[in-house]
Amino acid sequence: MSDIENALDGMDEVQAALAAERAAQADSEGLAILGAMVEAAYIVAVADGSLSENETHTLIEGFLKLTEGDVDQDAIAGMLEYAGEGLESEGRDARFEAIAGTLEDEGLRDGVFVVASAVAWKDGGIGEKQGLAVRALGKAFGYSENKLQTLLAKGRHA
């Protein structure tokens, strides 16, 4: 079982919510939701100033699993590049608020938070800058401290 599968174990509702969103919305809207999810995880991953190969692999694998292969690796890599451009032009907090507006479903929010925290735990654990980014994402999603810690722990076991 891959690292990200372990992190998402027991989160069938995340996949169900994502599948329902894909079925209920036009392709462009579904891709906007996936793009927001990828962007949130990317912003947390690069908060320490870099995106390692291990972090990139975890991001791509996580989103391939969440989409059940409906979106290919190249499309996800393109979303990561686009996320970098948005972060550079608007800043972390503005992007997290925009992402929270796009990801209104609680299951989707929880899934993206677990993937983002799993990526943050890579390469020696969550440092101060990534920890602040994770907290900012949780704040944008309206998480209580208890929920934030619960989902963060789930991401740690990836």
Side-chain angles (χ1 to χ4, degrees):
M1 192 176 287
S2 76
D3 291 344
I4 203 65
E5 286 176 49
N6 288 332
L8 295 172
D9 188 35
M11 293 192 69
D12 293 338
E13 67 277 3
V14 173
Q15 289 176 325
L18 185 57
E21 287 290 335
R22 285 195 314 262
Q25 298 184 10
D27 285 343
S28 63
E29 290 179 21
L31 286 176
I33 289 170
L34 179 61
M37 295 175 74
V38 170
E39 183 178 12
Y42 171 86
I43 292 169
V44 169
V46 300
D48 63 359
S50 66
L51 186 65
S52 73
E53 187 174 321
N54 195 15
E55 289 170 326
T56 302
H57 176 75
T58 300
L59 279 170
I60 291 172
E61 288 300 312
F63 288 109
L64 284 173
K65 173 142 179 68
L66 280 174
T67 63
E68 299 175 338
D70 288 347
V71 178
D72 69 26
Q73 185 171 336
D74 290 340
I76 294 170
M79 290 176 190
L80 291 171
E81 185 176 324
Y82 181 78
E85 294 168 5
L87 177 61
E88 188 174 316
S89 67
E90 297 179 42
R92 180 192 76 191
D93 293 342
R95 293 310 310 147
F96 279 164
E97 288 301 323
I99 290 164
T102 301
L103 301 175
E104 296 177 356
D105 180 87
E106 185 177 354
L108 291 175
R109 286 180 174 194
D110 293 354
V112 76
F113 190 88
V114 168
V115 171
S117 64
V119 171
W121 282 110
K122 296 292 178 195
D123 301 331
I126 298 177
E128 181 179 350
K129 290 178 181 179
Q130 284 182 322
L132 292 171
V134 167
R135 286 196 168 280
L137 179 60
K139 180 181 177 186
F141 285 170
Y143 287 167
S144 67
E145 181 65 21
N146 185 47
K147 182 164 186 169
L148 185 139
Q149 291 299 326
T150 299
L151 293 175
L152 193 59
K154 204 174 251 275
R156 183 177 191 170
H157 298 291

